[in-house]
Amino acid sequence: VKGVEKRSRRRRSPSPSSSRSGSSSSRTSGTSSSDEEAGTQLRRRRRRGSSASRLRRRSDNFTSMSTSGIVSVVWHRTAVLVMLLLLQSLSQLILESYEGLISSHVIIPLFLTMLVGAGGNAGNQSTVRSITGLVTGEFSPRDFWKVLRKEVVVGLLNATILATIGFARVYYFYGHRNLYYSTIAITASLFCIVSISVVLGTILPFALGYVGLNREHAAPVIQVMMDIVGVLVTCSLCYHIIPDSEHTSHDHDAKPA
């Protein structure tokens, strides 16, 4: 019986060789994990170095005053500018379709440049912010929804502030002439234009990079887009908000005694 118990104890107790193999396997796994981390960091450094070298080569090519370099820049920029010029002519069609509204309510063209300019400025801010973040690596294309969510909140706050200031400005000059609906229409247009411009300005750099185009074209594109969208939003809101009677009362007040 004692012999059987000794043999069973020997079987249960781990052998020194097995304990050594376990410790060695744990050391091996720890070493392999550290090697993987070191390899990952090395690959990241190489990517940063390669991207920095590419940026240096691009800067050297751009600052070169060679004929081929100048012609290449002029060709790419002119192609984009011509397309944007033709696209911007759509605002002419929008204004022609609302010609009667504009001729009856002079307040619309008086503040149209202010509205379109505010939209272009707000859109450029969000566009430049997105381009800078993508180029510097502050965020990646995977963070699109996070960036868009934050820009939407910022855009709504900016639109509220600018709409309040715009309302005060329009009311100061035209509120005493009983143009209350016109003041409300201009204020609503300003709020909508700024909000839309911030969203579009954030989306454009991500969208251009996704389709393989240069993100630097997002700045002029957002400007042209907001010219068209701004004219369309302003004319549409003024058409639905401003009544015809307001024009009649304005003309009556404007007649000399």
Side-chain angles (χ1 to χ4, degrees):
V1 175
K2 292 181 179 178
V4 173
E5 291 178 354
K6 289 180 180 179
R7 284 195 296 272
S8 62
R9 290 174 184 171
R10 290 174 184 172
R11 291 174 184 172
R12 294 174 184 171
S13 61
S15 62
S17 60
S18 62
S19 63
R20 289 178 194 146
S21 62
S23 62
S24 62
S25 63
S26 62
R27 291 174 190 164
T28 305
S29 62
T31 305
S32 61
S33 62
S34 61
D35 292 340
E36 290 178 359
E37 292 178 0
T40 304
Q41 293 178 359
L42 181 61
R43 285 192 294 271
R44 289 177 180 173
R45 293 196 194 101
R46 289 177 180 175
R47 290 173 185 171
R48 292 173 184 171
S50 62
S51 61
S53 62
R54 285 196 298 268
L55 289 175
R56 290 193 207 99
R57 287 196 298 269
R58 289 179 182 176
S59 63
D60 294 338
N61 294 333
F62 184 79
T63 55
S64 176
M65 290 298 295
S66 61
T67 305
S68 60
I70 294 175
V71 171
S72 176
V73 174
V74 171
W75 169 254
H76 289 296
R77 291 189 180 181
T78 304
V80 175
L81 291 175
V82 168
M83 289 187 293
L84 294 177
L85 177 65
L86 297 177
L87 182 63
Q88 197 169 17
S89 61
L90 292 175
S91 59
Q92 173 193 352
L93 302 177
I94 299 173
L95 291 174
E96 287 180 354
S97 61
Y98 289 96
E99 184 178 0
L101 175 70
I102 295 173
S103 60
S104 300
H105 303 85
V106 186
I107 190 174
I108 298 175
L110 290 178
F111 289 96
L112 187 60
T113 54
M114 181 191 76
L115 299 174
V116 173
N121 294 334
N124 271 323
Q125 285 182 338
S126 59
T127 299
V128 172
R129 186 66 188 90
S130 297
I131 294 175
T132 304
L134 291 170
V135 171
T136 59
E138 183 179 355
F139 46 80
S140 64
R142 301 177 186 175
D143 302 323
F144 167 72
W145 292 110
K146 296 180 181 178
V147 177
L148 182 61
R149 180 178 58 186
K150 182 175 181 179
E151 288 293 338
V152 167
V153 176
V154 174
L156 291 175
L157 293 176
N158 285 338
T160 303
I161 296 172
L162 291 178
T164 303
I165 297 174
F167 174 82
R169 186 183 186 281
V170 177
Y171 186 81
Y172 177 77
F173 286 98
Y174 292 94
H176 63 282
R177 299 184 183 181
N178 297 326
L179 298 178
Y180 303 116
Y181 287 100
S182 298
T183 304
I184 294 174
I186 297 297
T187 304
S189 301
L190 182 58
F191 179 85
C192 294
I193 290 172
V194 173
S195 301
I196 295 172
S197 66
V198 172
V199 175
L200 293 179
T202 305
I203 295 175
L204 268 178
F206 288 92
L208 293 179
Y210 181 77
V211 298
L213 298 178
N214 198 337
R215 292 190 179 97
E216 69 180 8
H217 298 315
V221 169
I222 188 62
Q223 189 70 44
V224 173
M225 288 181 65
M226 290 318 303
D227 287 346
I228 300 173
V229 174
V231 172
L232 180 61
V233 169
T234 302
C235 293
S236 300
L237 290 178
C238 290
Y239 177 79
H240 289 91
I241 294 177
I242 302 175
D244 295 334
S245 59
E246 189 170 81
H247 165 68
T248 304
S249 62
H250 173 52
D251 284 349
H252 179 73
D253 294 340
K255 290 180 180 180

